[in-house]
Amino acid sequence: MRLVKILLLTALLFGCTGTPKGVEPVSGFELNRYLGKWYEIARLDHSFERGLTAVTADYRVRDDDLVQVINRGYNAEKAQWEEAEGKAKFVDSPDTAHLKVSFFGPFYGSYIVFGLDKQDYQYAFIAGPNHDYLWLLARTPQVSDEVIARFIQEASQRGFNTDELIFVDQLPVSDS
């Protein structure tokens, strides 16, 4: 019985770092170019971001060589900012854009960059461990219609339900 518990715990701890069918992480990834602030342009809905606007993600290298992740968004219903801090590390090689991210102790989830503006690192298409998690991030609060169309096309081809996408309101919100 103890072995069964250990196997179940192992599956919980490591089972969320896989890749959804049809999703391949970008190769030739350069973390230093990816670091900094990103704006959330679109996402599939999930409980931990529900109702948030002006959502951003900030990535920095920590002293222990892990990546600090700070996600921030405005909850208009509560009239307050919400922030979550986590850590990320590469699943395999640092030049393959497949990381695992934790916001809750030892529990990790996949963070897979499957589309990237490799020339300027101005937008990124992100998947989680399954087809329920999808984001379009950009260095600016808005992107062109062409980037949105490409994101929808590539995500749809990989099995994501793009009809359910939420386009995030990035209107300025006071920090007070």
Side-chain angles (χ1 to χ4, degrees):
M1 187 66 170
R2 185 168 190 222
L3 178 60
V4 171
K5 287 181 184 178
I6 291 170
L7 289 173
L8 286 173
L9 181 59
T10 301
L12 282 173
L13 291 176
F14 300 105
C16 294
T17 59
T19 59
K21 184 177 181 180
V23 174
E24 292 292 326
V26 167
S27 60
F29 183 73
E30 297 176 46
L31 178 61
N32 285 334
R33 294 182 66 200
Y34 196 80
L35 297 174
K37 186 174 187 173
W38 291 83
Y39 294 87
E40 186 178 88
I41 305 301
R43 69 172 181 257
L44 288 179
D45 193 26
H46 42 80
S47 62
F48 53 90
E49 280 189 284
R50 189 160 292 138
L52 296 183
T53 61
V55 179
T56 60
D58 192 20
Y59 305 101
R60 300 178 187 146
V61 175
R62 300 178 356 166
D63 291 339
D64 59 5
D65 289 332
L66 296 177
V67 177
Q68 176 188 40
V69 180
I70 299 175
N71 291 341
R72 189 170 194 250
Y74 188 74
N75 185 325
E77 186 176 301
K78 295 179 181 178
Q80 69 184 26
W81 287 95
E82 294 184 7
E83 188 172 283
E85 184 173 344
K87 62 185 176 186
K89 55 185 167 182
F90 287 95
V91 172
D92 294 312
S93 166
D95 68 344
T96 301
H98 182 187
L99 295 94
K100 56 184 182 178
V101 179
S102 175
F103 290 95
F104 311 105
F107 302 101
Y108 283 87
S110 282
Y111 180 100
I112 306 150
V113 180
F114 69 89
L116 180 64
D117 167 26
K118 283 190 169 183
Q119 181 174 338
D120 298 317
Y121 278 57
Q122 291 299 300
Y123 61 83
F125 307 160
I126 315 297
N130 58 47
H131 286 99
D132 294 331
Y133 299 93
L134 177 68
W135 296 269
L136 167 56
L137 302 181
R139 295 292 189 174
T140 57
Q142 289 87 31
V143 296
S144 69
D145 291 341
E146 292 81 15
V147 169
I148 291 172
R150 181 171 173 219
F151 171 68
I152 291 170
Q153 177 187 16
E154 290 195 21
S156 181
Q157 288 174 345
R158 288 165 175 79
F160 292 94
N161 183 357
T162 56
D163 292 337
E164 299 294 323
L165 282 171
I166 294 170
F167 288 88
V168 180
D169 183 358
Q170 284 291 345
L171 293 175
V173 180
S174 171
D175 278 327
S176 52

